[in-house]
Amino acid sequence: MTQLETRQRPSSAAASESLEDVLIVDTDVHVHESPGELAPYADMPWRVALEHIKDNRESYLDIPSFSPGVSDGSYQAKWPTAHEGARMVWTQEQMRLELDQLNVDLGLLFPDHLLKLPVLTQVDYATAIARAYNRWLAEHWASQAKGLLGLIVVANHDPEDAAREIYRYADNPDFAGAYLPCAGLDILWGNRKYDPIYRAAQDTGTPLLLHSVTVTHPVFPFNNHAFDTELARHATSHTFSIMSNLVDLVTRGTFVRFPEVRFAVSEAGVSWMPWLMLRLNKEYMERRRDVPFLKHPPSHYLKQVYVCTQPIEEPENLQDLVTLIDLFDGEDRTMFASDWPHHDFDHPMKLDQVPLSEDARRKIFGENAMRYLGIDATGKKLR
């Protein structure tokens, strides 16, 4: 925990409600999947393949042949680490108990290892893992009644197969949206090859969440293998990944072709959004011939994107954070995220130190997420 978590909320923004009384929707919670867990849910021959690697040594978000990272040796150096990489959540009961201790009412479930799904190069293997994960999540984790809402994992490798997964789970009351992995993604999410996914999301009203993770890859996110420290890589990788994908979605017209799809981005903080809007608008004034299909400046489309808070920036003057959120009209688009149980998670108390208005505080802790997901305060779908 940081020093910020132990401070009292500024008296100028004293809350009339305690955190126990505020609806908190956590838009970034991680379950822990392993090859052995997913094997029974995988189609042949991948079931056998996963069983063969179920006893491989597991380090933090890294299993050779499953979520290649440190131990694989080909994508990134072996960095020494001081964080507690073994802190994971293994069961639905454990997750509910731990989220209760954080005063989280509803949690949105992302995977651990499958954050790196795009790094896998074999199409059939990647899609089989995604399907197995969704089956496993539906049976063991996702539960509207318990306030644990599943996200459909889609493999970027086969958009048609990914679309079928969205259609398959769209009416399941325990699933609230679909997750688009970003780390190691070569062809960015704005490419038209992914249109079947967006068509499925629009047809079913399924919101889409982009989530990245730190990974070094020959093509993305852009030369971070050249950095000499984990500090440099971790500080920039998530944000570079999210910004690049949003730029691609805007400049290829995805928001124009699929105006009803609701997008959100996770684990990049919020401070980059005002810069990205201003920068793209500036370029748009000179180069709008490149994007004749855009009826508005890029900021118009970016303001439709919901932004999750973690890792929330910690300026010395917390009022600066309120200003940053105001710069992108973020009061109605920012959503709380903890990243529980990862080593760099944000406790709700951290966001509660920010001198937000009472209306903004309620929106960011839960109301914006309810609108984005199309759910009520119990997690029940409204559509």
Side-chain angles (χ1 to χ4, degrees):
M1 295 195 180
T2 68
Q3 182 181 3
L4 186 60
E5 292 173 60
T6 65
R7 298 175 193 162
Q8 295 300 310
R9 197 162 188 262
S11 57
S12 61
S16 59
E17 296 175 296
S18 68
L19 281 178
E20 290 83 357
D21 297 324
V22 176
L23 174 71
I24 298 181
V25 181
D26 188 340
T27 55
D28 188 7
V29 174
H30 291 272
V31 303
H32 191 74
E33 77 284 19
S34 66
E37 295 265 4
L38 300 192
Y41 300 91
D43 300 324
M44 292 293 282
W46 307 110
R47 183 181 308 171
V48 173
L50 290 175
E51 288 173 349
H52 281 173
I53 62 172
K54 67 183 177 65
D55 295 324
N56 282 5
R57 188 183 69 84
E58 178 176 356
S59 61
Y60 184 64
L61 304 189
D62 176 29
I63 298 179
S65 303
F66 187 62
S67 58
V70 174
S71 59
D72 158 274
S74 62
Y75 289 130
Q76 64 185 47
K78 294 182 179 180
W79 300 93
T81 179
H83 65 67
E84 185 185 355
R87 183 150 51 86
M88 301 166 184
V89 180
W90 293 92
T91 67
Q92 186 187 63
E93 292 72 22
Q94 180 191 356
M95 181 67 82
R96 188 59 265 170
L97 176 63
E98 294 183 2
L99 293 185
D100 284 343
Q101 292 171 345
L102 297 174
N103 296 312
V104 169
D105 298 282
L106 299 171
L108 214 52
L109 305 178
F110 284 91
D112 267 348
H113 291 293
L114 298 196
L115 294 174
K116 298 179 179 178
L117 187 63
V119 176
L120 298 179
T121 56
Q122 192 163 354
V123 174
D124 290 346
Y125 181 38
T127 54
I129 288 180
R131 292 194 299 272
Y133 172 87
N134 293 332
R135 293 168 184 156
W136 172 78
L137 194 75
E139 184 165 326
H140 292 281
W141 282 93
S143 169
Q144 179 260 320
K146 295 182 182 299
L148 301 175
L149 303 176
L151 292 175
I152 308 159
V153 165
V154 301
N156 59 291
H157 311 65
D158 184 344
E160 295 287 352
D161 190 80
R164 287 192 290 273
E165 287 296 282
I166 291 175
Y167 285 118
R168 180 172 294 117
Y169 291 97
D171 292 332
N172 187 320
D174 298 326
F175 281 77
Y179 151 59
L180 307 185
C182 297
L185 188 72
D186 186 1
I187 300 174
L188 301 179
W189 280 114
N191 193 286
R192 281 179 175 267
K193 67 175 284 188
Y194 301 123
D195 279 3
I197 295 174
Y198 303 131
R199 190 170 299 110
Q202 184 157 279
D203 288 347
T204 60
T206 300
L208 303 178
L209 288 89
L210 281 68
H211 186 307
S212 189
V213 68
T214 303
V215 65
T216 299
H217 189 272
V219 298
F220 188 79
F222 311 128
N223 290 356
N224 71 355
H225 63 279
F227 291 138
D228 194 41
T229 65
E230 177 69 359
L231 186 157
R233 289 180 46 243
H234 194 259
T236 57
S237 294
H238 294 66
T239 309
F240 283 0
S241 169
I242 293 299
M243 286 198 299
S244 299
N245 278 288
L246 282 182
V247 169
D248 205 46
L249 286 164
V250 170
T251 58
R252 290 182 184 269
T254 307
F255 292 102
V256 177
R257 295 197 303 283
F258 301 98
E260 297 174 22
V261 177
R262 302 188 297 281
F263 286 90
V265 295
S266 185
E267 197 146 342
V270 302
S271 61
W272 50 272
M273 183 58 104
W275 174 85
L276 187 62
M277 287 181 174
L278 293 170
R279 182 65 176 173
L280 286 180
N281 282 358
K282 174 74 172 176
E283 292 289 328
Y284 177 75
M285 296 299 291
E286 180 180 353
R287 307 176 195 282
R288 58 192 305 174
R289 63 185 178 278
D290 289 350
V291 286
F293 42 82
L294 295 186
K295 297 178 174 60
H296 307 279
S299 62
H300 171 85
Y301 303 99
L302 290 176
K303 286 181 180 179
Q304 300 172 24
V305 176
Y306 289 77
V307 182
C308 302
T309 54
Q310 199 275 339
I312 193 69
E313 290 80 356
E314 301 181 31
E316 185 173 347
N317 181 355
L318 290 176
Q319 184 63 44
D320 291 344
L321 195 51
V322 179
T323 302
L324 283 166
I325 292 173
D326 287 342
L327 285 173
F328 65 94
D329 296 343
E331 180 174 323
D332 294 317
R333 287 291 185 273
T334 304
M335 305 188 295
F336 170 71
S338 74
D339 196 26
W340 183 260
H342 290 173
H343 61 93
D344 53 347
F345 80 98
D346 286 350
H347 193 288
M349 291 170 58
K350 178 179 286 187
L351 179 63
D352 210 34
Q353 311 307 312
V354 180
L356 299 163
S357 70
E358 279 303 297
D359 282 347
R361 179 174 180 253
R362 284 193 297 271
K363 290 178 181 177
I364 293 173
F365 267 126
E367 292 176 3
N368 290 342
M370 289 170 58
R371 187 174 66 255
Y372 165 70
L373 296 169
I375 60 174
D376 66 15
T378 70
K380 182 180 179 181
K381 291 182 180 180
L382 299 176
R383 56 184 181 279

